[in-house]
Amino acid sequence: MKIKTYGIALATALGTTLASASAWAVNDMPGGPAVNALNLQPPASSVAVGQHFVHDFLLWLCAIIFVVVFGVMFYSIFAHRRSRGHKASDFHESTAVEIAWTIVPFIIVVGMGVVATGEVIAQKDTSSPDITVKATGYQWKWGYDYIKGEGEGVGFLSTLSTPRAQIEGREPKSETYLSEVDNPLVVPVGKKIRVIVTANDVIHSWYVPALGVKQDAIPGFVRDTWFKADKVGVFRGYCAELCGKDHAFMPIVVDVKSAEDYSAWVKKQRGDAAPAEPMKTAAAPAAAPAAAPAAAPAADKAWTKDELVAQGEKVYGASCASCHQPTGKGLPPTFPALAGSPVVLGPLAGQLEVLLKGRPGTAMVSFAQLSDADLAAVVTYTRNAFGNQAEQGVAMPADVQAAR
């Protein structure tokens, strides 16, 4: 512990120049790094502080080795050049040199291990968490289920909320372009958060640099990591594993609140959300029933067709447009068109079955985690958009409930 404390102090002193040059401000500005930023994101957890220490230590160690090795090499070339009358020495071996170039690298490697081992062990210590959250990677969004601690039973999807108009260049890009979501992961400050990470389709990676967490999400496997935020703020990350065509469109946003604000958020989630089925993944059975997103549309509301179409357009933009395209023309053969689709124009039960169960062996996954109202709305929208005029043009939440 003393070695780590002294090391952090040394690294802080050595890294002052780089830190002062950094223009990162993820807590003060909603966007990413400023242009020409030089350093890492400011750490917001003890693990991230340790990672900064290891990074700065190794950076300066490499810089010193570079200066020493190339300094000796350049001096030797300059001072012993042929134009000054020097002749190359002719010798077979040097025991002293061989011992030196064995021992010195060994000491360097051992020193690096001493510095890094404590940090690696700390990163893997997921014991005794205050709150446990399951993060499930989908193409291309994240699902969160609170399965232990305050907030247990809350669950929702977190999807990119950047407007399509910005993505397509039809309007100016905001400071949070491709770094904003509709439902961020909300946690309390100063509490140990264990994150169980898995995936529903392909390999993803849950990465929030300011909190010092990065864990691959692998279908069929359950991995875990943890963090404890030291300050209130919004911290942004991304899927860090190439996972398909919209890999760049599945950001991660962690909203760290005070204990009081977090408790109020949990109460709001439980009060406003309608019950929903637990989110099932290929990796593990669902651990607890998941609630629908905050302010989810009421399933018992008397919906009109126009209201369903309007709500369905929002759901389609958040959950479907990335694959089937905003125009509904898709990207065949991987992502079939919905315009003129026999599934969309056919019996209502067939489309609901695809949405609720997905299609094994294809990119179409189950969307059973959405509320009955949202599923009814998106079905109604697709049956009346893109030139479609289905005979059964309206789906009600009761139809979805009956099909589950």
Side-chain angles (χ1 to χ4, degrees):
M1 182 60 71
K2 289 184 177 180
I3 293 176
K4 177 180 177 179
T5 302
Y6 296 149
I8 292 175
L10 174 61
T12 302
L14 292 174
T16 299
T17 302
L18 282 178
S20 63
S22 173
W24 280 93
V26 290
N27 295 315
D28 299 324
M29 292 176 56
V35 176
N36 299 324
L38 296 177
N39 207 357
L40 306 175
Q41 291 188 19
S45 70
S46 59
V47 170
V49 169
Q51 291 172 350
H52 277 237
F53 158 58
V54 174
H55 168 269
D56 291 344
F57 174 82
L58 295 180
L59 177 67
W60 284 103
L61 178 62
C62 291
I64 292 170
I65 293 173
F66 174 86
V67 170
V68 171
V69 171
F70 281 90
V72 171
M73 185 178 72
F74 291 143
Y75 170 78
S76 300
I77 293 172
F78 176 79
H80 302 90
R81 62 190 185 276
R82 184 176 180 182
S83 62
R84 297 187 62 175
H86 284 276
K87 291 185 62 178
S89 299
D90 184 10
F91 61 91
H92 182 262
E93 62 184 23
S94 171
T95 302
V97 171
E98 291 181 357
I99 292 175
W101 70 35
T102 300
I103 292 179
V104 172
F106 176 78
I107 294 174
I108 292 173
V109 171
V110 170
M112 293 166 60
V114 169
V115 170
T117 298
E119 300 302 333
V120 173
I121 293 174
Q123 291 176 34
K124 303 307 295 181
D125 181 15
T126 59
S127 61
S128 304
D130 297 301
I131 296 173
T132 299
V133 179
K134 183 177 72 172
T136 305
Y138 298 90
Q139 289 178 308
W140 289 270
K141 58 181 69 68
W142 292 95
Y144 297 112
D145 289 296
Y146 291 68
I147 60 178
K148 179 183 178 183
E150 186 178 6
E152 181 176 347
V154 172
F156 50 85
L157 288 175
S158 180
T159 306
L160 176 72
S161 60
T162 298
R164 296 298 304 183
Q166 291 185 22
I167 295 173
E168 295 168 0
R170 292 186 280 110
E171 66 179 39
K173 294 175 172 54
S174 67
E175 289 183 338
T176 54
Y177 175 70
L178 298 186
S179 301
E180 54 197 340
V181 297
D182 51 2
N183 296 306
L185 176 65
V186 180
V187 298
V189 68
K191 297 294 185 180
K192 185 172 184 178
I193 312 299
R194 181 187 179 210
V195 184
I196 298 174
V197 184
T198 187
N200 187 65
D201 33 49
V202 299
I203 299 177
H204 301 276
S205 188
W206 203 80
Y207 173 52
V208 185
L211 299 175
V213 287
K214 181 181 182 295
Q215 182 62 65
D216 286 352
I218 305 173
F221 292 85
V222 175
R223 318 294 285 277
D224 65 349
T225 184
W226 72 279
F227 66 89
K228 179 162 60 174
D230 296 333
K231 51 188 174 184
V232 172
V234 176
F235 305 97
R236 303 179 190 274
Y238 303 90
C239 174
E241 186 71 32
L242 185 60
C243 58
K245 76 177 188 66
D246 277 1
H247 163 65
F249 296 155
M250 54 182 302
I252 300 163
V253 179
V254 179
D255 186 2
V256 181
K257 296 181 177 292
S258 65
E260 296 78 11
D261 289 345
Y262 176 74
S263 296
W265 176 83
V266 171
K267 291 179 181 178
K268 181 179 179 181
Q269 294 294 301
R270 289 174 172 163
D272 294 350
E277 293 294 321
M279 293 170 61
K280 298 178 176 63
T281 70
D300 56 355
K301 175 181 175 179
W303 291 87
T304 67
K305 179 179 177 180
D306 290 342
E307 288 174 334
L308 286 168
V309 169
Q311 175 63 19
E313 185 175 10
K314 297 177 183 178
V315 177
Y316 183 86
S319 301
C320 311
S322 60
C323 294
H324 295 291
Q325 301 300 292
T327 60
K329 294 182 179 180
L331 294 171
T334 305
F335 306 114
L338 299 185
S341 166
V343 175
V344 175
L345 296 176
L348 183 63
Q351 187 176 5
L352 289 176
E353 182 178 8
V354 172
L355 285 172
L356 292 171
K357 298 181 180 179
R359 281 189 166 173
T362 72
M364 181 63 190
V365 299
S366 168
F367 283 86
Q369 68 274 5
L370 294 180
S371 69
D372 293 345
D374 277 345
L375 286 174
V378 77
V379 167
T380 302
Y381 172 72
T382 57
R383 287 175 166 256
N384 293 275
F386 320 127
N388 293 335
Q389 292 294 327
E391 182 177 349
Q392 291 178 282
V394 177
M396 289 294 175
D399 297 323
V400 179
Q401 181 61 42
R404 285 192 182 271

